[in-house]
Structures are given as structure tokens and as C-alpha cells.
Amino acid sequence: MTGSPLRPEDALAELASQLREEGPVVSSHVSESDATPAIGLLVAAGPRCVADPGAYATVVELVREGYLCHYREPRLLGRLDADLRLLVGDHLYARGIERLARLGDLLAVGELSDLISIAAQLDAGSGSDSDAGEIAWLAAAVAIAAGPGAGHEAAKAVLRESGDAEPLWMAARERAERTGLSEHLSRASEAVGFAAPNRG
């Protein structure tokens, strides 16, 4: 990197560059991606992240890549075999949480720690909404970007207890509306494949 501030839209390119420095186990499997770092862009647009939006976008996308290694298809590390994906995914989780702690953002550390736990619980269980994992991601991103709304913690508890993600989605959408992030939330929803219900 140069001395220029990192742009949030370059988060995946920056992340790929960082992963190539991880050592041969990871670096030889890194590929470029033309995907949009939509979750990172949502976080970076929020008032809580204005001091260093590029750093926030990159660290959130680092944790996102760890999640994708576990449960979906990673964008930068798709050439890893299945067993190695799980190990690298855990490593990326830890790296992301560590970097957020270095930023001094305990709220973001808590949100992403909760998100990692919720994702594992959803994967192990049954009966949850098919979109629950992505809704949990979008809600965590809004909370990191703008602070959690009044119903955020209660809605996370509902998701944990029943698998019902709708209250969490509604709380995230309301918070995004109140903080000027609705358009960013809509774009992130589309990017992760969640067809947000259109309630007037």
C-alpha cells in the first residue's frame, strides 16, 4: 500500500494483497475477485466508521471471507480444499477480531463475535429462515456502521432461540432508515443474495 488512504471499494483487492503475505499455505491459493465488497461498503458508510472507512471495510470483509470459507463459497480463497477452508476460515475470524480490537472498537468486536457464534448455531441447527445467516450479517453491519437500534439485541435473541430472522431484519432496516443507510443496506442485501421483502 501507498500512503494514500485505503478506499472502501478497494477492500477486497487490499485483502487479497494481505492474504498473499500470510505464508505458503494461504498465499498460493489466493485469487483476485471482481465482487463488490458490499458488506464492507455498508459498514464504511456509517457514522461510526468515518475516521477510517477503508480499514473498517477491509476488516469486515476479512471476517466475511472467513464466514464464506465455512459456509459458502469464498471469493478470494476458492481454490482451497474443504478441510483447509475450515482452518483458514477460523484463522480469518481471529485476525479480523484482532484487528477490530486494535481499532479500539469494542462494539464492533462484540457484534462480529456474536455474528460468528450465531452463524455456527444456525449451521448446526434446523428450522431457521433460509436467509437467516445473511440477515445476521446485514444486521451486524448496520450496527457496526451506525450503532445498534433499540430492538437489535432482542431480535438477535429471537434468532438464537427460534431461528426467526424477521425481527432482526426489521430492526436493521429501521436503523438504516434512521441513519441514512437504506440505500447501502439495499445494495448489500442484493449483493449477498437476500431478496429483502418490500414492505411499504
Side-chain angles (χ1 to χ4, degrees):
M1 286 182 59
T2 68
S4 302
L6 175 64
R7 302 186 310 162
E9 54 266 40
D10 295 331
L12 285 181
E14 171 63 18
L15 181 53
S17 177
Q18 293 176 9
L19 290 172
R20 289 193 184 95
E21 299 174 359
E22 284 287 325
V25 173
V26 173
S27 62
S28 61
H29 295 90
V30 178
S31 57
E32 295 293 335
S33 172
D34 59 2
T36 300
I39 299 288
L41 290 173
L42 169 57
V43 169
R48 292 191 70 258
C49 305
V50 67
D52 200 344
Y56 271 97
T58 302
V59 74
V60 168
E61 291 294 346
L62 174 63
V63 177
R64 175 74 178 173
E65 192 71 5
Y67 170 83
L68 296 175
C69 282
H70 275 273
Y71 307 115
R72 301 286 191 272
E73 185 66 24
R75 301 154 299 183
L76 304 174
L77 295 167
R79 293 184 289 182
L80 290 171
D81 64 50
D83 290 336
L84 194 52
R85 280 188 189 185
L86 295 178
L87 293 173
V88 171
D90 286 342
H91 173 67
L92 298 184
Y93 280 163
R95 283 281 304 277
I97 297 300
E98 177 199 8
R99 290 186 183 182
L100 278 174
R102 268 192 262 149
L103 287 172
D105 193 338
L106 297 183
L107 185 149
V109 169
E111 284 297 329
L112 287 181
S113 296
D114 282 353
L115 175 60
I116 291 167
S117 173
I118 288 170
Q121 181 179 336
L122 292 172
D123 182 64
S126 60
S128 61
D129 295 347
S130 59
D131 292 315
E134 300 301 356
I135 290 172
W137 262 100
L138 294 165
V142 170
I144 294 169
H152 178 69
E153 291 299 328
K156 283 197 293 188
V158 170
L159 176 56
R160 286 186 182 278
E161 292 165 9
S162 70
D164 181 7
E166 183 173 4
L168 188 57
W169 168 248
M170 297 302 289
R173 194 178 76 160
E174 179 180 356
R175 185 62 174 162
E177 288 172 354
R178 288 179 176 272
T179 56
L181 293 172
S182 290
E183 187 59 37
H184 291 280
L185 177 59
S186 178
R187 287 198 290 267
S189 301
E190 181 178 355
V192 302
F194 171 53
N198 184 18
R199 298 186 177 93

